[in-house]
Amino acid sequence: MIPVTCPHCGHVFEIKRDTVVIAQMDSVAKKRLNDGSYFMHQCQHCKNMFYLYYPFLYRDPKKKFDLVLTQNKTIDQLPEDERVVLCHSVTQFLLAFKIYDQCLNPVLVINKKKMLEKKLGHSIRFDYYDQKNGCLWFEDVAVSLTEKECKEILIL
């Protein structure tokens, strides 16, 4: 059981949640991570929605990456042949999931995201890479990639 305090009303409760998910074994968790709802919770007291934060590991042995939601600086005992990404917030974790699950170059996606946010003046969520049209989708905005960037976007 994970102790939780609602950030809106201060209601304290415990909740049972999975702390480890392996990609090929849980398609529902993968779908909920992709749509951003995995860490969402509605407080039974005030009915407000918020992200639950708790230590969590998502492993994808096939794509060779591990995402860890933690405040720790390092994690031991994970396979050395897999890329380990430490995330310190739920929003970081969800962004990393979308990037690594699509086998994308994180530096390129994050740079494009920052440039778009600077232009728009607010934060925006990354959705997916449209390989057919050579662009990254951020909510309802498409950002075109150069020919060179299209060659660099996929990491296999």
Side-chain angles (χ1 to χ4, degrees):
M1 299 295 279
I2 299 166
V4 178
T5 302
C6 174
H8 302 286
C9 70
H11 178 64
V12 178
F13 59 97
E14 288 187 342
I15 191 165
K16 185 177 180 178
R17 287 289 177 125
D18 290 332
T19 56
V20 176
V21 169
I22 299 174
Q24 291 74 26
M25 298 175 76
D26 193 338
S27 62
V28 173
K30 185 174 178 175
K31 181 180 178 197
R32 291 190 61 215
L33 285 165
N34 201 38
D35 71 19
S37 66
Y38 190 85
F39 296 100
M40 290 300 296
H41 182 74
Q42 183 178 30
C43 177
Q44 297 304 307
H45 187 256
C46 71
K47 306 300 183 205
N48 281 306
M49 299 289 290
F50 63 96
Y51 281 132
L52 291 172
Y53 177 90
Y54 56 91
F56 181 75
L57 168 66
Y58 180 86
R59 284 198 64 225
D60 192 327
K62 187 176 178 182
K63 294 180 182 174
K64 295 199 174 288
F65 73 88
D66 303 323
L67 300 178
V68 186
L69 181 59
T70 182
Q71 291 301 318
N72 295 344
K73 302 281 188 218
T74 60
I75 299 293
D76 297 327
Q77 300 176 347
L78 290 175
E80 290 186 21
D81 66 332
E82 294 178 12
R83 181 184 309 253
V84 176
V85 180
L86 301 181
C87 303
H88 301 298
S89 72
V90 171
T91 53
Q92 281 180 347
F93 188 95
L94 294 172
L95 175 59
F97 175 80
K98 286 197 173 203
I99 291 171
Y100 286 98
D101 189 55
Q102 296 177 64
C103 301
L104 302 178
N105 177 332
V107 172
L108 198 119
V109 174
I110 291 169
N111 285 341
K112 291 292 185 181
K113 182 179 185 302
K114 286 179 181 177
M115 287 174 27
L116 182 59
E117 289 173 339
K118 184 175 180 180
K119 181 179 177 181
L120 297 174
H122 62 84
S123 183
I124 194 161
R125 182 190 70 248
F126 170 66
D127 284 322
Y128 66 97
Y129 170 54
D130 179 348
Q131 189 169 3
K132 181 180 175 188
N133 295 301
C135 63
L136 297 172
W137 282 92
F138 296 87
E139 295 176 17
D140 59 351
V141 178
V143 175
S144 295
L145 299 177
T146 65
E147 192 174 311
K148 180 182 178 213
E149 289 170 331
C150 286
K151 292 177 183 174
E152 296 173 349
I153 191 70
L154 292 174
I155 54 171
L156 303 174

